Amino acid sequence: SVRTTAMASWVEICSRGWGIGFWFFCLLKPAYDLAEAYAWPVMKKHEFDAAEWITLVLVLLFFVVLVGLYFMKRFSKLLIRRSGELTDERRWYIHAMAPLFVPGLILATPRRYIQAWGLVIFIVVISFVIPLAPWEYRGIVDAGVTLALFFAVFWMAWYTVLYAFWGRLPAISPELPPSWSSCADNDNSLAPLSSA
């Protein structure tokens, strides 16, 4: 069963912190870098023509409404929900691979695998495509990406606080595979740690 943070052992807290903290860093660092290198300089110095203003509005609407308020919110819920499954009875390698486990890159349903790995492929592709765009359009897209990443960090922080202080996990499926029950230590080797 899922244990709340108030009842968690240090193994569970470290494992969840490792998994969620990794994604905090992976989202916050590029958001800051993109804003500083491209988004802010373009917004500050460039004089937009009509086509660029339209592009800016459409890009920001897309990244704020669809990506930030919908996708990143759901993604953050999933990260926190799956982190709640990192309990003492899980095998050591699951704790070690927490950053891969919490978004569903490993030990997930086929649907979650497709979505998680599809996102990874999309990020890799777009990281090669965006630099090919003209400077002003790259700044516009990077402004949208930056906002979406900051939304993700906000949602992750929000659901982390709800879980850490009130034990409230997001009410969504963790999308675990049928084999999940076999990923526990039969010898309960972590049990002494939880009672320490």
Side-chain angles (χ1 to χ4, degrees):
S1 62
V2 175
R3 290 153 59 96
T4 66
T5 301
M7 299 186 299
S9 71
W10 71 267
V11 171
E12 294 170 344
I13 292 172
C14 289
S15 179
R16 293 166 187 171
W18 163 228
I20 297 169
F22 176 88
W23 285 97
F24 264 114
F25 178 80
C26 285
L27 295 170
L28 193 55
K29 179 67 165 61
Y32 176 81
D33 291 344
L34 286 174
E36 185 179 44
Y38 299 103
W40 178 243
V42 170
M43 298 298 119
K44 185 178 179 181
K45 298 179 180 179
H46 184 66
E47 294 184 4
F48 293 99
D49 59 27
E52 290 167 351
W53 273 115
I54 293 171
T55 303
L56 176 64
V57 171
L58 292 176
V59 165
L60 293 183
L61 281 174
F62 171 78
F63 278 104
V64 170
V65 177
L66 184 62
V67 180
L69 294 176
Y70 175 74
F71 178 78
M72 287 303 186
K73 183 177 182 180
R74 180 168 175 76
F75 177 72
S76 300
K77 282 183 175 182
L78 182 75
L79 288 180
I80 307 308
R81 177 62 185 85
R82 284 175 64 93
S83 75
E85 298 291 335
L86 294 170
T87 53
D88 278 337
E89 63 265 20
R90 300 303 163 197
R91 296 183 185 276
W92 67 268
Y93 58 83
I94 297 175
H95 294 283
M97 296 189 295
L100 297 177
F101 172 76
V102 291
L105 293 169
I106 60 172
L107 295 168
T109 60
R111 175 175 172 269
R112 173 47 41 196
Y113 275 134
I114 292 170
Q115 292 179 344
W117 286 104
L119 176 62
V120 170
I121 293 169
F122 173 76
I123 291 171
V124 170
V125 170
I126 202 170
S127 68
F128 284 103
V129 172
I130 290 179
L132 301 178
W135 180 74
E136 60 273 15
Y137 285 100
R138 176 173 184 176
I140 289 171
V141 174
D142 284 342
V145 172
T146 299
L147 283 175
L149 292 174
F150 279 124
F151 267 106
V153 171
F154 167 77
W155 289 124
M156 284 178 60
W158 174 253
Y159 290 115
T160 297
V161 168
L162 288 180
Y163 182 39
F165 293 98
W166 288 279
R168 291 173 53 189
L169 280 171
I172 63 170
S173 168
E175 299 189 48
L176 297 167
S179 62
W180 178 241
S181 58
S182 67
C183 295
D185 271 317
N186 294 326
D187 61 359
N188 205 20
S189 59
L190 291 178
L193 299 176
S194 64
S195 59

